Amino acid sequence: MALIFCNFSFSQKSDIENWFIYVGNQKINDNWNWHHEVQYRNFDFIGDTNQLLLSPGIGHNLTEDNYNLLLGYRFIQM
């Protein structure tokens, strides 16, 4: 599953800001899954990076109904 959100904001100075998001969850086997997420926020349309978030994680499935525990890490660059 991928989700991308783009926000174009216009003001009197014609400043453009973007926020790109990718979120994924990949099944490894019946008990384990891999979570990954990237968020990229910038100013002046892929010019000045305001924030970069990288979030990998590993999950253990508790039930077949998709209840799981996730252990993850978040890297934030500002």
Side-chain angles (χ1 to χ4, degrees):
M1 178 183 179
L3 173 68
I4 296 177
F5 174 77
C6 297
N7 182 16
F8 295 99
S9 300
F10 295 99
S11 66
Q12 293 176 351
K13 296 180 183 179
S14 297
D15 296 331
I16 298 175
E17 296 182 17
N18 298 298
W19 185 359
F20 299 102
I21 300 173
Y22 170 77
V23 178
N25 200 14
Q26 180 65 41
K27 180 180 176 181
I28 297 172
N29 60 32
D30 290 337
N31 293 323
W32 296 96
N33 63 66
W34 171 253
H35 173 80
H36 42 284
E37 177 180 337
V38 177
Q39 296 185 33
Y40 177 71
R41 302 172 190 175
N42 63 33
F43 183 73
D44 285 339
F45 194 69
I46 310 179
D48 301 325
T49 301
N50 290 347
Q51 193 173 52
L52 174 66
L53 291 87
L54 303 174
S55 305
I58 186 94
H60 180 70
N61 299 326
L62 300 175
T63 66
E64 293 180 8
D65 296 327
N66 229 4
Y67 293 107
N68 64 36
L69 293 175
L70 179 69
L71 177 65
Y73 173 79
R74 174 157 283 181
F75 171 78
I76 301 173
Q77 176 184 353
M78 298 182 83

